[in-house]
Amino acid sequence: MYGRQDDHRDVSRNRGAGVLKRQTIDSKDYRDAMARYAGHVQIATTMHEGVRRGVTVTAACSVSDNPGTLLVCLNHSNPHNELFTESGVFALNTLMAEHKHLAVAFSGRDHLSVEERFAEGEWDTITTGAPALVGAAAVFDCRLVDAKIVATHTVLIGEVTGLRIGPAGRALLYLDRGYHSV
């Protein structure tokens, strides 16, 4: 009913939205609206040929539980993020309230070196060799199964090959351009 291109009927009776049409929105307005969207803060990490990389992210979610699969979105304007696709592995480290300093360090806001960022926490590995945060609420260790460029970001899709469930505690969230916990 809605898939045909020549179908320009008023669908307000069905969706309350008026005529279906493609609209372009201002990217600043979009970022302002997304600032109202609470995201669980995580650090995506990888290692390739002895080089480590870690990035604070909120754009990550489950895709499937059988097999365990998740996705992570990384800004592809940063050439250092290519290490994730080159390595073919990554870990998604779910942060708790007490990890706020790690979220800030891996966000790049403080301009710390890679070594300084990783020195802020205790790291080991699970199955893939990607750095896994000791004490994280959860660590999903993944083998990269697909990567797609979508607009400004690369969407990494990973099959979970290792998992560690950490202690229960207050989750670290990012909302209204600041860190919060629940």
Side-chain angles (χ1 to χ4, degrees), residues 45-47 89-91 124-133 139 141-142:
T45 56
T46 193
M47 177 145 50
V89 299
F90 65 91
D124 64 6
T125 60
I126 299 175
T127 59
T128 68
L133 178 63
V139 179
D141 200 14
C142 300

Side-chain angles (χ1 to χ4, degrees), residues 32-113:
D32 289 345
M34 286 304 294
R36 306 286 172 90
Y37 182 87
H40 199 154
V41 182
Q42 304 182 68
I43 298 175
T45 56
T46 193
M47 177 145 50
H48 184 58
E49 298 178 349
V51 177
R52 293 188 293 183
R53 175 87 178 135
V55 181
T56 300
V57 299
T58 56
C61 68
S62 174
V63 173
S64 173
D65 68 348
N66 190 18
T69 308
L70 55 79
L71 68 78
V72 177
C73 300
L74 299 176
N75 191 320
H76 71 251
S77 68
N78 187 327
H80 298 292
N81 287 341
E82 291 175 11
L83 196 64
F84 285 89
T85 54
E86 291 169 5
S87 71
V89 299
F90 65 91
L92 187 64
N93 301 274
T94 305
L95 302 184
M96 299 189 334
E98 62 263 24
H99 297 130
K100 178 181 172 183
H101 69 286
L102 288 168
V104 172
F106 282 87
S107 73
R109 190 181 316 172
D110 292 343
H111 305 287
L112 300 176
S113 70

